[in-house]
Amino acid sequence: MMKNYVKSFAVLAIALLCSTVVSAQNSELYGWEKAPRYRGFFGEGLLFPISEHCDYSSYIYTSHGFQINQVFFIGAGVAANYWWNGKDVSVPLFVDARAEFHHLLRKNFSPYIANKVGYSFGYAQGLYVAPQVGCHFYFGHSKVGISAAVGYTYQANIPTEGLGSLTTEFSGLEISVAVDI
């Protein structure tokens, strides 16, 4: 009979301990709930051309700024675009704005929309615009996450010599991934 009491007590103790652990985990905040805070992104992507003057390209970027509230991020960033033809590089400087919708799902997974707007230097010199839609995932209750997106990139190219004011564009569909802290 004593054995049954010990077993019952052990089961009850384990159940109570597990319930406090689950309760503690539920009261922790997800990364998106920890706003306002600093936030930085490090990512890479591929551009698939849709304009006749464009070749396939790869890019890396970093963007740093401020998570204003649980939805909006604003920051500034820089990218390095490398065209696969082997000789062309451009460097866009941009303002990065992003809206995530974690609060609608109350989870660590969320859809988002983002837009980078700025000016590109180098091979493609001119206006740079890159709107995206994607999904963001936080790793548990940490501030570290990963994003995957599809989007469109537009880079105006204003020649500095020879062709006067003729403007061409380098545009295409993009896929990208990024890690954020």
Side-chain angles (χ1 to χ4, degrees):
M1 187 158 160
M2 181 69 144
K3 224 176 192 184
N4 287 340
Y5 287 133
V6 171
K7 285 181 185 177
S8 297
F9 178 77
V11 168
L12 182 60
I14 290 171
L16 286 172
L17 287 173
C18 288
S19 68
T20 58
V21 169
V22 169
S23 175
Q25 287 177 347
N26 287 337
S27 67
E28 290 181 16
L29 298 175
Y30 286 107
W32 59 271
E33 296 175 303
K34 297 176 184 173
R37 69 178 179 95
Y38 159 83
R39 197 165 177 201
F41 294 89
F42 304 92
E44 63 180 353
L46 297 172
L47 180 71
F48 302 93
I50 59 174
S51 67
E52 63 185 62
H53 302 288
C54 189
D55 194 5
Y56 290 90
S57 69
S58 303
Y59 65 89
I60 57 172
Y61 76 93
T62 185
S63 176
H64 301 271
F66 192 67
Q67 186 73 35
I68 298 168
N69 58 28
Q70 294 179 354
V71 177
F72 296 108
F73 164 83
I74 188 78
V78 62
N81 296 348
Y82 174 77
W83 274 268
W84 291 4
N85 62 14
K87 62 180 178 180
D88 301 318
V89 176
S90 65
V91 179
L93 300 175
F94 54 85
V95 172
D96 191 1
R98 180 174 172 131
E100 294 179 0
F101 304 103
H102 289 280
H103 67 288
L104 297 176
L105 302 173
R106 188 98 176 120
K107 300 289 180 192
N108 57 348
F109 177 77
S110 168
Y112 72 88
I113 57 173
N115 197 13
K116 298 173 180 71
V117 178
Y119 193 86
S120 182
F121 299 92
Y123 180 64
Q125 185 167 326
L127 178 66
Y128 173 79
V129 180
Q132 296 179 326
V133 295
C135 290
H136 183 263
F137 177 78
Y138 276 109
F139 296 107
H141 292 278
S142 73
K143 293 181 184 178
V144 178
I146 189 165
S147 301
V150 295
Y152 174 80
T153 296
Y154 172 86
Q155 290 190 49
N157 185 33
I158 304 167
T160 56
E161 55 187 64
L163 298 175
S165 62
L166 177 66
T167 300
T168 58
E169 66 179 63
F170 297 97
S171 60
L173 300 175
E174 70 172 61
I175 58 171
S176 66
V177 295
V179 173
D180 66 281
I181 53 172

